[in-house]
Amino acid sequence: MTDTAAQPAATAARPERSTLITVAPTGAESAKASVPALPVTLDELVTTAKECREAGAAVIHVHIRDDDAQPTLDLGRLRDTVRALREATDLIVQLSTGGAVTDSFDRRLAVIDAGPDACSLTCGTVNFGDDVFMNPWGFMTELYAKTQALGVVPEFELFDFGHIAALHRLLAEFGPPAGGHVHCDLVMGVPGGMPGDAATLVQAVSALPAGASWSATGIGRTSVPVLFAALAAGGHLRVGMEDTVTFSRGRPVASNAELVERAASAAALAQRPAMTPAAAREMLGVPDRH
Ligand code: KMH
Ligand code: ZN
């Protein structure tokens, strides 16, 4: 084999020596009444964040709830949440701009006025169980331009192959993101999106922009296979009760921290232990606003 033949493909991500673990502790879909361990108050979220940091998380992907534990994008609450998480931890605070399927585009665009380090940016519409998660091109571009103007680092959420094509178009037409580095998250196994299995993951990774880093998460029962497939393929991990509320067959998740602990153990076995928030900031181009 020649040296040239041994080079990685142009689209391959640079292999990292450690694994970025993102925790998505709450989401907008599960009800507190049926999932009592779900963190829905600010106190519960801060406690969860500290435990997950201890267990190996570097990024927290945040959805918040109101006093009735319903999903909300209330800007005052979002600001308080960013402040409290920054005071309590050194985690990268990534606010969800996806919200709930019922949230308006205007409210979702306003999320990043709360001053997070980072935000999610979903690269297309997708069927979402019985609902539709709407992300038309005009919304994507408006949100992307706002992330660039405010210096909020986007994470590109990819639920399906068409989203990868839209990401290429976004970068070609509007240039690099705040922070200068493209980081993607493959959200797999949503009913209506791409399946959560190793073959699909490998195919999706091969289509990502050159030089992009990526993590993957599998929804529901795909969470464990996607975790191992992502590690095997050299990617990073997202775990949390937004994505699965079942730890193993018939056993509910007791805490977000146990999902992070499992991810960190698997990453250590794969010889790529959990990345610190400081190293994650360097990789993602996220400035430290503490
Ligand atoms: N809750 C979903 C409809 C994101 O956070 O950016 C969308 C979602 C994606 O969770
Ligand atoms: Zn989310």
Side-chain angles (χ1 to χ4, degrees):
M1 187 186 285
T2 65
D3 281 346
T4 312
Q7 294 301 310
T11 51
R14 185 166 62 93
E16 291 289 340
R17 293 213 192 93
S18 55
T19 303
L20 171 68
I21 300 177
T22 297
V23 64
T26 307
E29 282 73 38
S30 289
K32 178 75 169 174
S34 41
V35 186
L38 198 71
V40 296
T41 67
L42 186 52
D43 279 354
E44 286 172 346
L45 187 62
V46 168
T47 300
T48 296
K50 287 188 200 162
E51 291 170 355
C52 291
R53 166 66 176 98
E54 196 63 30
V59 177
I60 185 164
H61 169 82
V62 179
H63 291 251
I64 62 166
R65 301 292 175 101
D66 65 15
D67 289 340
D68 298 321
Q70 297 304 308
T72 178
L73 295 182
D74 179 85
L75 201 49
R77 275 183 188 259
L78 285 169
R79 282 202 180 96
D80 291 346
T81 302
V82 171
R83 193 179 313 119
L85 289 171
R86 275 212 188 109
E87 271 169 24
T89 74
D90 59 352
L91 291 169
I92 295 173
V93 179
Q94 179 194 90
L95 290 183
S96 165
T97 64
V101 289
T102 46
D103 285 318
S104 70
F105 296 135
D106 284 348
R107 298 213 69 147
R108 290 169 57 193
L109 283 167
V111 162
I112 61 174
D113 293 325
D117 298 307
C119 70
S120 56
L121 193 162
T122 299
C123 291
T125 294
V126 63
N127 284 321
F128 197 80
D130 295 346
D131 298 305
V132 180
F133 178 32
M134 295 291 292
N135 296 282
W137 177 248
F139 172 70
M140 275 176 63
T141 58
E142 203 176 338
L143 178 56
Y144 190 53
K146 191 166 174 179
T147 62
Q148 289 171 316
L150 297 184
V152 175
V153 174
E155 175 180 278
F156 300 102
E157 309 296 330
L158 308 169
F159 289 66
D160 215 340
F161 280 83
H163 295 192
I164 302 176
L167 171 60
H168 281 277
R169 180 182 171 196
L170 192 71
L171 297 172
E173 291 189 19
F174 296 91
H181 175 73
V182 175
H183 181 72
C184 307
D185 180 42
L186 302 172
V187 185
M188 311 184 76
V190 168
M194 64 181 145
D197 58 47
T200 306
L201 181 141
V202 168
Q203 218 182 337
V205 169
S206 74
L208 295 179
S213 56
W214 60 276
S215 60
T217 188
I219 303 301
R221 69 187 61 177
T222 71
S223 65
V224 171
V226 167
L227 182 147
F228 283 108
L231 283 174
H236 301 280
L237 303 175
R238 174 174 126 170
V239 295
M241 295 178 74
E242 171 166 348
D243 300 338
T244 183
V245 292
T246 303
F247 190 81
S248 56
R249 201 181 302 261
R251 207 278 255 165
V253 172
S255 70
N256 279 285
E258 71 172 0
L259 292 171
V260 176
E261 275 159 19
R262 178 166 69 183
S265 301
L269 271 177
Q271 309 276 297
R272 288 176 44 227
M275 190 181 282
T276 64
R281 282 180 194 280
E282 203 174 316
M283 181 180 92
L284 301 172
V286 175
D288 194 344
R289 299 184 199 214
H290 282 88

